Amino acid sequence: MESQEPKVVTGGSTLMPLNYSSNRVMLKTILEGREEDGEIGFVGHKVVIGGWVKSSKEVKKESQPSPPPQPAAADAIPSSPGPKDVSCVEIIQSRIPFFRTIIRVLGGSASSPAVREKLESLIPKPPPSSTFFLQINDGSCVSNLQVVIDSAVTPVPAGQILPTGTCILAQGVLEKPSAQGKQTTIELKVEKILHVGTVEQDKYPLSRKRLPLDSLRDYSHIRPRTTTVASVTRIRSALDFATHTFFQKHGFLHVQVPIITTTDSEGFSERFQVTTLLGKPSKKEETIGVTDADAVSLETVKAAIKEKSSLVEQLKRSDSNREALVAALQDLRKTNELAKQLEAREKSKPKTAVKPDVVNFNEDLFGRQTYLTVSGRLHLESYACALGHVYSFGPRFRADKTVCPKHVAEMWTVEVEMAFSELEDAMNCAEDSFKFLCRWVLDNCSEDMKFVSKRIDRNLTHRLEYLITSSYEKISYREAVEILRKVTDKAFETQLQWGVPLTAEHLSYLADEHYKRPIIIRDYPKAVKPFYVRLNDDGITVAAFEMVIPKIGTVIKGSQNEERIDMLNTRIKEFDLSKDDYEWYMDLRRHGTVKHSGFSLEFDLIVLLATGLTDVRDAIPFPRSHGKANN
Amino acid sequence: MESQEPKVVTGGSTLMPLNYSSNRVMLKTILEGREEDGEIGFVGHKVVIGGWVKSSKEVKKESQPSPPPQPAAADAIPSSPGPKDVSCVEIIQSRIPFFRTIIRVLGGSASSPAVREKLESLIPKPPPSSTFFLQINDGSCVSNLQVVIDSAVTPVPAGQILPTGTCILAQGVLEKPSAQGKQTTIELKVEKILHVGTVEQDKYPLSRKRLPLDSLRDYSHIRPRTTTVASVTRIRSALDFATHTFFQKHGFLHVQVPIITTTDSEGFSERFQVTTLLGKPSKKEETIGVTDADAVSLETVKAAIKEKSSLVEQLKRSDSNREALVAALQDLRKTNELAKQLEAREKSKPKTAVKPDVVNFNEDLFGRQTYLTVSGRLHLESYACALGHVYSFGPRFRADKTVCPKHVAEMWTVEVEMAFSELEDAMNCAEDSFKFLCRWVLDNCSEDMKFVSKRIDRNLTHRLEYLITSSYEKISYREAVEILRKVTDKAFETQLQWGVPLTAEHLSYLADEHYKRPIIIRDYPKAVKPFYVRLNDDGITVAAFEMVIPKIGTVIKGSQNEERIDMLNTRIKEFDLSKDDYEWYMDLRRHGTVKHSGFSLEFDLIVLLATGLTDVRDAIPFPRSHGKANN
């Protein structure tokens, strides 16, 4: 359906429509509007709103006007049997002309009135007048707006307006809700529907029931429509702005370090290569003559099988609905067949792009091997050694095959570098910036924090308050090892001795069990930290630190970097690195060297911390991990 | 030299030291401090400052106390013959014990007093007491602070403290300058030098003379120390924060779209592949037995040759200094030899990493071919179709071999997507955000704007004011073509007829010559815009626009995107794209589709516009272009 040009319909100066959006008023503006003497100030205002249906209810006019509509619950994807039923009615309605034809034909030939009567009884009666109660959300806030539509007003049948996920743009008047016993304080009485974007219910992944977060990962393009992922997105965006605000406020300049690099800035991680040498795959692939198989990907089908299997199991257990079980089994069988076809097609796909006998990197676009950056700190140093305090905020990459809830292949990282500064300075800046981010979400995202606290982790706000106000324990690596070696009631997987890296298990013991608060561990053995970290006077440890937060692990890694050229030379040799690659970096020591320090903050882990989530794949819009890059 | 722990030395509450920086006070704080009754308020304050020497002068104490030091000119790299001379003195000084030994030996054997006298005269006298006047910059502002050091205070010889590029951390008292006729209003009388980072003058690329911007590109790691690149960096950082401020202020959420993608979001550009299939090059390479060749890269040597050749030419022309010419020629010859050796080594390098017979992308980390993103708009749509107004700000990539001053392989782009919005909305938002950015630099970067206006483009401020206040001409592609076809006084390289893309030449004529102001061109032929742009009712044009700024060209490209699934299907077929790849994108139309529009803003071009620069390689910290990725 085409939307019509909406008129300006704001009722007063306080209810400003959103810019660049067809005079639409954000629901946040309406729902979080000022209350006056216990009443919402916007009652009586005429507005345009838009959003997607989260849940709905049809109330027949003949029947009692109030079985009250579902409360504006902040459910991600509530189960909605209502729309499901309505959609069956709808299908029959759409067949009415066809039924009538049959009856006319049969009625003409069959003279018996009994037959005609029987046939007439098969035709559904035209739908009675109804009121639709929709819970609409536009992504601006957690709460939904209750939108009341008289069936006379809708330009489309009920079955097209009620399903979860339907998009609505409507004009109406804000009213106090008429029905009793509801949680909503304001609703929109629709005068005109300007646009309806329908849903293909059988294909819509969010239509059936509330999916767990790990299932939602298969629908990264659709999941922001769930209340949880929407909340996480808003918190993430707020944290993003908070990051820039903190550093700009403290006199840091933002420097965009390169993503494509020839320098290995870290030395410990597998890197992705960037190239133009591998050819394109052939665009047209053999079709196997299966229409369905053209429309969907194997991944989607596999996810559907998982879902459908669990439905079958559920139905088997409930025992109440034999027909539904048969239907579900048939559906599952069909989907399994589709998966087989797709798998066959996958195998027949040409796997090769080019067959190069020799990969000559001189012919690559940059004339040499280039990689996706693992860390921008070395590049950032070159700006720190000219401009003082600098930071960078961007994506960093590790070609890691292990699947881990705290790390994926592409993660956003804040990197900081400060000239004229030492290890203590970096530790202080790390702690301050971290506390600032925690404070920011509490101050600026109260509604979302309330929601994620309720849905994900009830202790969230309390924990953040604690992180902001507590002082962080500072210990050396040596002390950490001593504490861990004394542990007798717990067997660690990795046996600990001085010199080995601390594992997540060790860190968790220290922060969660021993100190029960954030800790900063400093002065690591030189072999476990990158070559550029400054050698301490003892000759065996380096000026590195890690900030470890209970339940999350290491969120910040920092160091004072080696400013002495002879020492840096030695370290490069010790690490067996190609000296040529670091000539540019050595220049910063050759010419006007200065003590400097900095750190990397794993932004995605801060989002976990602020939302209570436990897996970064739920916090990153389109996560990339081993075998997973689908759009 | 090691820095010592500095004491807190701020004189008052208004002169706050920078956080996390050894109690150092930013020069900006001192130099842009409030003036009281025409006097700088900070005279008498004790502070620590740090920075790099931009220029210097040594004044012997026996001589007149004022030949005034060089004014705190904002020169990028002033020519500094002073340090050069001093450095020769320094070399001889360091040889004094050696000379004395020779003289002793010779004096012992040679009985003639004449010989001894002659030999004694060869020994330089110990340096007389001097005052050093250094112009120091710490990157916080354009201006330098004049730092006055008595030679008795320095822990290192003059030759190590005077060269351009030397790093100094010093403690002292702010004073009114004593010498007459100078432009500085305040200077630092040094009491204690806490750190000196010396310069290897013969290798320091910025020591000799002011290098043009294109030569500086070879030293992307050192060039932020020039006043011009420092100013550009500060303006760029301000524009970066302004971008986030504008969109957050207008209710947009920041969404980090993926860099690694399987989706071709544009269809017109060559893409980089991301892979883990190509092996690592062998780390150890054959050495040719040339020590020098190990220490430097071919690139650096070639740059040195260029520089040394120009010095030889200069000396040839001047004719005054025969010896210097001979030395320079010898130096050049030596460097040429080194370059040859390096070239030979480059050729003997193993060019191959792996010899794969078959590249099997199933074995790649993601199990399929993946690319660096060209545009994030399609991914952004998925968030817009749930959350309303969203934006993304990150790096985008094109594997383009053509060298062009407006485009390199890696550029930062702002992308915007808005649900419930049409083409006009996107055009308005594009214009507003653009004007906001222009306003921001004028309001927040006045000192830097003054500098780049003076150094790069005198009309800069005036032009920005004009861009903020003028209304932008909106024309259709059809009108643009009609105007261009009527042009008789100019022959365009590409002959124009309806349907062909407009080239930079055409756009420049329209904006610079015909309208003489920014223009927005809309409704392009469907074949010249991506498949996802919404088809207009005429069936031949699409709802796309470009914002063209005089002297810069297209800075923003936008469109209303196709929300009708059948139409989108047709367009995907017309473009001969693989339907499978876009299934996830089609889902956004299958389920709750909505009208939406957005745009991409080339951030690097905005930096050009704001600074008067003409080549993005001077505006991007580490530019990546064909054959150029050196760190």
Side-chain angles (χ1 to χ4, degrees):
Chain A
M1 190 212 135
E2 292 298 297
S3 87
Q4 295 154 42
E5 199 59 56
K7 304 286 178 297
V8 179
V9 283
T10 51
S13 61
T14 50
L15 201 56
M16 290 293 289
L18 186 63
N19 281 329
Y20 327 118
S21 193
S22 312
N23 280 309
R24 174 174 72 96
V25 175
M26 276 206 300
L27 297 190
K28 184 189 171 82
T29 316
I30 296 169
L31 294 167
E32 296 178 6
R34 59 190 176 139
E35 295 197 18
E36 280 169 354
D37 305 323
E39 304 237 335
I40 290 289
F42 298 135
V43 165
H45 284 61
K46 208 169 185 179
V47 292
V48 172
I49 65 99
W52 289 265
V53 175
K54 298 298 284 257
S55 67
S56 61
K57 190 93 183 172
E58 179 178 5
V59 178
K60 301 273 186 303
K61 282 216 174 150
E62 293 90 332
S63 72
Q64 191 59 255
S66 58
Q70 290 181 14
D75 271 2
I77 318 104
S79 56
S80 49
K84 196 76 192 161
D85 298 345
V86 173
S87 134
C88 294
V89 170
E90 181 44 31
I91 289 164
I92 299 169
Q93 277 170 19
S94 68
R95 298 284 190 278
I96 292 179
F98 176 68
F99 282 124
R100 293 206 186 278
T101 310
I102 293 176
I103 289 160
R104 247 199 314 280
V105 172
L106 295 177
S109 64
S111 51
S112 153
V115 172
R116 189 175 301 143
E117 197 175 291
K118 203 171 176 185
L119 284 170
E120 285 284 359
S121 74
L122 285 173
I123 310 171
K125 294 197 180 76
S129 178
S130 306
T131 307
F132 307 125
F133 293 86
L134 310 181
Q135 302 298 324
I136 299 275
N137 190 285
D138 68 356
S140 64
C141 56
V142 171
S143 308
N144 304 319
L145 178 69
Q146 178 156 287
V147 170
V148 185
I149 306 174
D150 191 289
S151 56
V153 170
T154 65
V156 295
Q160 285 185 19
I161 211 163
L162 287 167
T164 299
T166 303
C167 180
I168 305 275
L169 184 70
Q171 178 180 320
V173 178
L174 292 171
E175 292 186 352
K176 278 206 265 185
S178 46
Q180 305 275 318
K182 297 198 296 84
Q183 290 171 7
T184 56
T185 50
I186 197 161
E187 66 183 24
L188 184 81
K189 176 87 177 137
V190 170
E191 292 175 343
K192 195 175 178 184
I193 292 182
L194 305 168
H195 164 78
V196 175
T198 58
V199 162
E200 290 185 28
Q201 268 182 281
D202 52 332
K203 288 182 185 163
Y204 190 54
L206 308 185
S207 65
R208 219 162 293 193
K209 57 178 183 293
R210 201 164 112 200
L211 290 175
L213 285 168
D214 57 348
S215 301
L216 282 174
R217 285 176 209 150
D218 292 330
Y219 309 104
S220 55
H221 60 300
I222 292 286
R223 65 177 181 169
R225 296 192 191 176
T226 65
T227 312
T228 301
V229 177
S231 253
V232 170
T233 304
R234 286 188 295 267
I235 291 169
R236 189 182 171 96
S237 173
L239 281 169
D240 187 296
F241 191 57
T243 302
H244 288 288
T245 303
F246 176 85
F247 289 105
Q248 296 270 348
K249 203 180 93 171
H250 281 88
F252 285 77
L253 296 172
H254 189 238
V255 175
Q256 284 143 351
V257 295
I259 303 303
I260 300 172
T261 180
T262 59
T263 309
D264 189 352
S265 305
E266 205 230 36
F268 294 116
S269 304
E270 284 299 313
R271 294 179 292 164
F272 288 103
Q273 276 202 48
V274 176
T275 183
T276 53
L277 293 177
L278 300 174
K280 292 173 199 170
S282 56
K283 194 186 282 174
K284 291 280 176 193
E285 285 151 10
E286 282 175 67
T287 48
I288 319 177
V290 188
T291 351
D292 277 357
D294 288 339
V296 285
S297 75
L298 181 57
E299 188 111 359
T300 318
V301 174
K302 279 186 176 167
I305 288 175
K306 207 169 138 191
E307 217 180 313
K308 284 171 184 176
S309 305
S310 97
L311 179 68
V312 165
E313 288 309 309
Q314 243 179 343
L315 289 170
K316 274 183 185 167
R317 276 196 299 276
S318 73
D319 235 12
S320 61
N321 195 337
R322 197 69 207 158
E323 278 169 50
L325 177 60
V326 172
L329 277 167
Q330 272 181 345
D331 188 24
L332 179 60
R333 197 174 309 130
K334 221 171 121 189
T335 315
N336 271 325
E337 269 165 38
L338 181 60
K340 265 180 216 157
Q341 289 171 345
L342 281 169
E343 260 165 353
R345 198 174 62 156
E346 202 76 31
K347 273 177 198 155
S348 75
K349 264 188 189 179
K351 284 176 186 171
T352 62
V354 283
K355 294 186 182 183
D357 288 333
V358 167
V359 179
N360 184 345
F361 290 109
N362 288 349
E363 287 169 11
D364 216 337
L365 193 113
F366 297 114
R368 58 196 294 181
Q369 280 187 295
T370 54
Y371 302 87
L372 290 183
T373 185
V374 170
S375 157
R377 281 193 64 199
L378 302 197
H379 290 89
L380 212 47
E381 272 188 51
S382 109
Y383 272 72
C385 292
L387 300 166
H389 286 195
V390 293
Y391 75 109
S392 195
F393 187 15
R396 305 292 177 257
F397 306 85
R398 276 159 218 267
D400 203 343
K401 284 197 176 176
T402 56
V403 173
C404 156
K406 300 286 158 60
H407 284 97
V408 290
E410 178 178 334
M411 295 180 80
W412 277 64
T413 307
V414 181
E415 287 154 347
V416 171
E417 213 64 47
M418 306 180 286
F420 303 101
S421 83
E422 305 187 15
L423 186 66
E424 288 282 345
D425 297 308
M427 292 196 295
N428 292 337
C429 183
E431 190 178 323
D432 288 354
S433 58
F434 176 76
K435 287 182 172 177
F436 182 89
L437 294 180
C438 294
R439 179 84 268 159
W440 186 279
V441 285
L442 290 179
D443 290 350
N444 294 278
C445 309
S446 53
E447 208 212 1
D448 284 310
M449 289 309 289
K450 223 180 282 171
F451 174 76
V452 290
S453 296
K454 199 180 78 182
R455 176 62 56 85
I456 304 172
D457 181 350
R458 297 212 166 263
N459 282 321
L460 196 57
T461 315
H462 177 72
R463 191 171 332 120
L464 287 175
E465 288 285 4
Y466 178 71
L467 290 176
I468 295 162
T469 51
S470 65
S471 71
Y472 296 7
E473 190 72 35
K474 286 180 187 169
I475 57 169
S476 69
Y477 168 88
R478 182 175 297 279
E479 287 169 291
V481 169
E482 275 161 22
I483 291 163
L484 290 166
R485 282 171 70 93
K486 280 185 202 143
V487 176
T488 51
D489 57 337
K490 200 179 162 86
F492 296 119
E493 268 181 43
T494 314
Q495 205 45 48
L496 203 67
Q497 55 186 36
W498 196 94
V500 304
L502 301 177
T503 64
E505 199 189 19
H506 298 134
L507 299 177
S508 161
Y509 178 85
L510 289 168
D512 298 5
E513 296 181 43
H514 187 85
Y515 287 106
K516 294 188 174 67
R517 58 172 160 149
I519 51 174
I520 295 178
I521 306 174
R522 56 178 287 174
D523 299 326
Y524 281 78
K526 64 178 182 175
V528 306
K529 288 290 172 186
F531 73 95
Y532 55 75
V533 182
R534 193 179 197 273
L535 194 69
N536 285 331
D537 290 344
D538 61 16
I540 53 166
T541 63
V542 289
F545 75 93
E546 291 194 17
M547 196 168 107
V548 186
I549 305 295
K551 291 210 170 201
I552 298 287
T554 301
V555 294
I556 296 180
K557 289 183 183 182
S559 59
Q560 179 174 347
N561 292 357
E562 189 56 79
E563 88 280 10
R564 299 162 294 186
I565 191 161
D566 48 343
M567 212 60 99
L568 192 60
N569 249 321
T570 309
R571 298 277 288 154
I572 286 176
K573 269 184 212 138
E574 279 175 9
F575 274 75
D576 199 21
L577 299 168
S578 158
K579 215 174 150 239
D580 269 13
D581 291 347
Y582 297 97
E583 275 308 318
W584 70 269
Y585 184 63
M586 303 289 282
D587 271 355
L588 305 176
R589 276 77 185 169
R590 274 188 200 105
H591 310 304
T593 191
V594 63
K595 284 195 178 181
H596 58 287
S597 66
F599 59 86
S600 304
L601 177 151
E602 289 282 9
F603 182 73
D604 300 305
L605 298 185
I606 305 288
V607 180
L608 287 196
L609 186 83
T611 55
L613 292 170
T614 53
D615 195 309
V616 285
R617 287 172 294 177
D618 303 323
I620 296 173
F622 297 88
R624 301 296 185 228
S625 57
H626 184 207
K628 293 274 182 185
N630 311 314
N631 45 31
Chain B
M1 192 211 132
E2 291 298 295
S3 86
Q4 295 154 41
E5 199 60 56
K7 304 284 177 297
V8 179
V9 284
T10 51
S13 61
T14 50
L15 200 56
M16 288 293 290
L18 186 62
N19 280 329
Y20 327 119
S21 193
S22 312
N23 280 311
R24 174 174 74 95
V25 175
M26 276 207 299
L27 297 190
K28 185 187 169 83
T29 315
I30 297 169
L31 294 167
E32 295 179 5
R34 58 188 177 138
E35 296 197 18
E36 280 169 354
D37 306 323
E39 303 236 338
I40 290 288
F42 298 136
V43 165
H45 283 61
K46 208 169 186 179
V47 292
V48 172
I49 65 99
W52 289 265
V53 174
K54 299 297 285 255
S55 66
S56 61
K57 191 94 184 171
E58 179 180 4
V59 178
K60 300 275 187 300
K61 282 218 172 149
E62 293 89 330
S63 72
Q64 191 57 254
S66 57
Q70 290 182 14
D75 271 2
I77 317 105
S79 56
S80 49
K84 196 74 191 161
D85 296 346
V86 173
S87 135
C88 293
V89 169
E90 181 43 31
I91 289 164
I92 297 167
Q93 277 169 18
S94 67
R95 298 285 190 279
I96 290 179
F98 176 68
F99 281 124
R100 291 203 189 280
T101 310
I102 294 177
I103 288 161
R104 246 197 317 278
V105 171
L106 294 177
S109 65
S111 52
S112 154
V115 171
R116 189 175 300 144
E117 195 175 291
K118 202 171 175 185
L119 285 169
E120 285 282 0
S121 75
L122 284 174
I123 310 171
K125 293 195 182 78
S129 178
S130 306
T131 306
F132 308 125
F133 293 87
L134 310 180
Q135 302 299 322
I136 299 275
N137 191 285
D138 68 357
S140 65
C141 58
V142 172
S143 307
N144 304 319
L145 177 69
Q146 179 157 286
V147 170
V148 184
I149 305 174
D150 191 289
S151 56
V153 170
T154 64
V156 294
Q160 284 185 21
I161 210 162
L162 288 167
T164 300
T166 303
C167 180
I168 304 275
L169 185 70
Q171 180 180 317
V173 178
L174 292 172
E175 293 185 350
K176 278 206 265 186
S178 46
Q180 306 276 316
K182 298 198 296 84
Q183 289 171 9
T184 55
T185 51
I186 197 159
E187 66 182 24
L188 184 81
K189 175 87 177 136
V190 170
E191 292 175 342
K192 194 174 178 186
I193 292 183
L194 305 168
H195 165 78
V196 176
T198 58
V199 162
E200 292 185 26
Q201 269 182 283
D202 52 332
K203 288 182 185 164
Y204 190 53
L206 308 184
S207 64
R208 218 160 294 194
K209 58 179 183 296
R210 200 163 113 201
L211 290 174
L213 285 168
D214 56 348
S215 300
L216 281 175
R217 284 175 211 152
D218 291 332
Y219 309 105
S220 54
H221 59 300
I222 292 285
R223 64 177 181 169
R225 298 193 189 175
T226 66
T227 312
T228 301
V229 176
S231 253
V232 170
T233 303
R234 286 188 293 267
I235 291 169
R236 188 179 173 97
S237 174
L239 281 168
D240 186 295
F241 191 58
T243 302
H244 288 288
T245 304
F246 177 85
F247 289 106
Q248 296 270 349
K249 203 180 93 170
H250 281 88
F252 286 77
L253 295 172
H254 189 239
V255 175
Q256 284 144 351
V257 296
I259 301 304
I260 299 172
T261 180
T262 59
T263 309
D264 189 353
S265 306
E266 206 231 37
F268 294 116
S269 303
E270 284 300 314
R271 293 179 292 163
F272 287 103
Q273 276 202 48
V274 176
T275 183
T276 52
L277 293 177
L278 301 174
K280 290 172 200 170
S282 56
K283 193 187 281 173
K284 292 279 176 196
E285 284 151 11
E286 282 176 67
T287 48
I288 319 178
V290 187
T291 352
D292 278 358
D294 288 338
V296 286
S297 74
L298 181 57
E299 188 111 358
T300 319
V301 174
K302 278 185 176 168
I305 289 174
K306 208 170 138 192
E307 221 180 310
K308 284 171 183 176
S309 305
S310 98
L311 178 68
V312 165
E313 287 310 307
Q314 243 180 342
L315 290 169
K316 273 183 186 167
R317 276 197 301 277
S318 74
D319 237 12
S320 61
N321 196 337
R322 197 69 208 159
E323 277 169 49
L325 177 59
V326 172
L329 277 168
Q330 269 179 347
D331 187 25
L332 180 60
R333 197 173 311 130
K334 220 170 123 188
T335 315
N336 271 325
E337 268 164 40
L338 180 59
K340 265 182 217 157
Q341 287 171 344
L342 281 170
E343 260 164 354
R345 198 174 62 155
E346 202 76 31
K347 272 177 200 156
S348 74
K349 265 189 189 178
K351 284 175 187 174
T352 62
V354 284
K355 293 187 180 182
D357 288 332
V358 166
V359 179
N360 184 345
F361 290 108
N362 288 349
E363 287 169 11
D364 216 337
L365 192 112
F366 298 113
R368 57 196 294 182
Q369 280 187 295
T370 54
Y371 302 87
L372 290 183
T373 185
V374 170
S375 156
R377 282 194 61 200
L378 302 197
H379 290 89
L380 213 46
E381 271 188 51
S382 109
Y383 272 72
C385 291
L387 300 168
H389 285 195
V390 292
Y391 75 108
S392 196
F393 187 15
R396 305 291 176 257
F397 305 85
R398 277 158 218 267
D400 203 343
K401 284 198 176 176
T402 56
V403 173
C404 155
K406 300 287 159 60
H407 284 97
V408 290
E410 177 179 335
M411 294 181 81
W412 277 64
T413 308
V414 182
E415 287 154 347
V416 172
E417 214 63 47
M418 306 180 286
F420 303 101
S421 85
E422 304 187 16
L423 186 66
E424 289 282 345
D425 296 308
M427 293 196 295
N428 291 337
C429 183
E431 190 177 324
D432 288 354
S433 57
F434 176 76
K435 287 181 172 176
F436 181 89
L437 294 180
C438 294
R439 179 84 269 157
W440 186 280
V441 285
L442 290 179
D443 289 350
N444 294 280
C445 310
S446 53
E447 207 212 0
D448 285 309
M449 289 308 289
K450 223 179 280 169
F451 173 75
V452 291
S453 296
K454 199 180 80 183
R455 174 64 54 85
I456 304 172
D457 182 350
R458 299 211 164 264
N459 283 320
L460 197 56
T461 315
H462 177 72
R463 191 172 333 120
L464 286 174
E465 289 283 5
Y466 178 71
L467 290 176
I468 294 162
T469 52
S470 66
S471 71
Y472 296 6
E473 189 73 35
K474 287 180 186 167
I475 58 168
S476 69
Y477 168 89
R478 182 176 296 281
E479 287 169 291
V481 169
E482 275 161 21
I483 291 163
L484 291 166
R485 284 171 69 91
K486 280 184 201 142
V487 176
T488 49
D489 57 336
K490 198 178 165 85
F492 297 119
E493 267 181 41
T494 314
Q495 204 47 47
L496 202 66
Q497 56 186 36
W498 195 95
V500 304
L502 302 176
T503 64
E505 197 190 22
H506 298 134
L507 298 176
S508 162
Y509 179 84
L510 288 168
D512 298 5
E513 296 182 41
H514 188 84
Y515 287 107
K516 295 188 174 64
R517 58 173 161 148
I519 51 173
I520 295 177
I521 306 175
R522 56 179 287 173
D523 299 327
Y524 280 77
K526 65 178 183 176
V528 307
K529 288 289 171 187
F531 73 94
Y532 57 74
V533 182
R534 193 180 197 273
L535 195 68
N536 286 331
D537 291 344
D538 61 15
I540 52 167
T541 62
V542 289
F545 76 93
E546 291 192 16
M547 197 167 107
V548 186
I549 305 296
K551 292 208 171 199
I552 298 286
T554 302
V555 293
I556 296 180
K557 288 184 183 183
S559 59
Q560 180 175 346
N561 292 357
E562 189 58 78
E563 87 281 9
R564 299 161 295 187
I565 191 162
D566 50 342
M567 212 61 96
L568 192 59
N569 249 319
T570 310
R571 297 278 288 154
I572 285 175
K573 271 184 209 134
E574 280 175 10
F575 274 77
D576 198 20
L577 299 168
S578 158
K579 216 176 147 239
D580 269 14
D581 291 346
Y582 298 97
E583 274 309 317
W584 69 271
Y585 184 63
M586 303 289 282
D587 271 355
L588 305 176
R589 277 77 186 168
R590 271 187 202 108
H591 310 304
T593 191
V594 62
K595 285 195 178 182
H596 57 286
S597 66
F599 60 86
S600 304
L601 176 151
E602 291 282 8
F603 181 74
D604 300 305
L605 298 185
I606 304 289
V607 181
L608 287 195
L609 187 83
T611 55
L613 292 170
T614 53
D615 195 310
V616 284
R617 287 173 293 178
D618 303 323
I620 296 173
F622 296 88
R624 300 297 184 227
S625 59
H626 184 207
K628 292 273 182 187
N630 311 315
N631 43 32

